[in-house]
């Protein structure tokens, strides 16, 4: 029996490479959303609108790196069917793999794959009419937020902004509304980065 972790910190290259693919991230996301219910490859494929044959090798790679595990097996038409669960409730990248040095390419691919997944997920749900962009002022009970901007901040103001964002995220994850009748699935994607002046950057490889 595998003990599911509340949060997994990704520190190794093998796991980063496993995560550096939008489809593998989508598989992992589907399992996390339906947890603790285990899913078969066919059920995951239905969730993602993909062919099951397209998922087998991706799920095997996730299993090899310990990101998913076989929670149960059952006999279906004489064939043993594996049903999977995510090995963790959430993931975060270790500061070491985000910093310059040993493994920046793998970390970069993982972050770009995450962006691709969010883009594809938003596009699919928007075209299906499942995202209402009407503002709260016009009566939307589930208002959304879209913002994109670049500003110049001092290092101190940047640290304060990062700290406030961390507080909001910690508060969101500390409370579980999943049992509430009016709860809806919410996707939050946050990306904030400081762009260094050209004279402070090192040579690009």
């Amino acid at each position: 029996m595998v003990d599911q972790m509340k949060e997994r910190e990704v520190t190794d290259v093998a796991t980063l490479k496993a995560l550096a693919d939008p489809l593998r991230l989508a598989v992992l996301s589907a399992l996390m959303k339906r947890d603790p219910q285990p899913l078969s490859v066919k059920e995951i494929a239905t969730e993602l609108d993909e062919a099951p044959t397209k998922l087998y090798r991706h799920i095997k790679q996730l299993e090899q790196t310990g990101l998913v595990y076989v929670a149960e097996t059952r006999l279906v038409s004489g064939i043993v069917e594996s049903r999977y669960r995510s090995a963790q409730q959430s993931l975060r990248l270790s500061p070491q793999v985000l910093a310059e040095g040993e493994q920046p390419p793998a970390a970069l691919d993982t972050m770009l794959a995450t962006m691709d997944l969010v883009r594809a997920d938003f596009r699919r749900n928007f075209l299906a009419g499942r995202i209402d962009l009407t503002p709260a002022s016009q009566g939307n009970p589930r208002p959304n937020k879209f913002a994109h901007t670049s500003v110049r901040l001092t290092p101190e103001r940047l640290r304060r902004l990062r700290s406030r964002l961390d507080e909001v995220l910690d508060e969101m994850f500390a409370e579980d509304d999943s049992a509430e009748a009016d709860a809806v699935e919410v996707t939050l994607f946050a990306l904030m980065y400081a762009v260094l002046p050209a004279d402070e950057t090192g040579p690009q490889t």
Side-chain angles (χ1 to χ4, degrees):
M1 180 66 182
V2 177
D3 290 329
Q4 187 188 61
M5 290 184 281
K6 183 173 180 61
E7 180 180 66
R8 175 172 178 172
E9 183 179 43
V10 178
T11 60
D12 60 290
V13 176
T15 304
L16 282 172
K17 288 182 177 179
L19 293 169
D21 183 279
L23 186 52
R24 285 196 289 275
L25 285 174
V27 169
L28 196 56
S29 178
L31 290 172
M32 287 179 174
K33 288 176 184 176
R34 297 284 292 275
D35 194 73
Q37 177 188 349
L39 299 178
S40 68
V41 175
K42 289 183 179 180
E43 289 169 334
I44 297 170
T46 299
E47 189 93 3
L48 302 180
D49 195 24
E50 296 282 358
T53 52
K54 190 176 179 180
L55 300 185
Y56 284 106
R57 68 179 180 88
H58 291 293
I59 292 175
K60 182 57 65 178
Q61 189 166 352
L62 291 171
E63 186 182 3
Q64 289 171 345
T65 51
L67 289 163
V68 306
Y69 67 95
V70 177
E72 62 183 54
T73 58
R74 63 182 183 182
L75 201 61
V76 180
S77 301
I79 299 173
V80 176
E81 179 187 73
S82 296
R83 298 173 65 79
Y84 297 87
R85 283 186 66 188
S86 169
Q88 58 284 307
Q89 295 177 20
S90 64
L91 285 165
R92 68 183 173 92
L93 299 186
S94 165
Q96 300 106 280
V97 299
L98 294 175
E100 289 185 359
E102 198 173 327
Q103 301 138 3
L108 176 61
D109 288 344
T110 299
M111 289 187 284
L112 293 177
T114 303
M115 295 179 204
D116 290 342
L117 174 62
V118 171
R119 180 183 183 278
D121 186 61
F122 179 86
R123 184 178 188 278
R124 182 176 63 254
N125 285 314
F126 182 80
L127 293 179
R130 299 186 64 193
I131 297 177
D132 183 0
L133 295 180
T134 305
S137 60
Q138 295 183 21
N140 187 354
R142 296 181 286 270
N144 298 287
K145 177 72 175 178
F146 179 82
H148 174 228
T149 187
S150 295
V151 295
R152 295 182 64 84
L153 300 175
T154 64
E156 176 55 32
R157 285 193 64 197
L158 179 56
R159 283 192 292 269
R160 292 207 311 266
L161 176 58
R162 167 62 190 269
S163 177
R164 289 172 64 186
L165 288 173
D166 285 343
E167 289 175 4
V168 170
L169 292 174
D170 288 344
E171 178 184 339
M172 183 178 71
F173 288 119
E175 301 178 11
D176 184 5
D177 294 342
S178 58
E180 300 297 327
D182 59 349
V184 294
E185 180 183 313
V186 174
T187 295
L188 172 64
F189 177 75
L191 175 65
M192 182 180 73
Y193 56 93
V195 179
L196 299 177
D199 57 1
E200 290 187 26
T201 60
Q204 299 298 306
T205 57

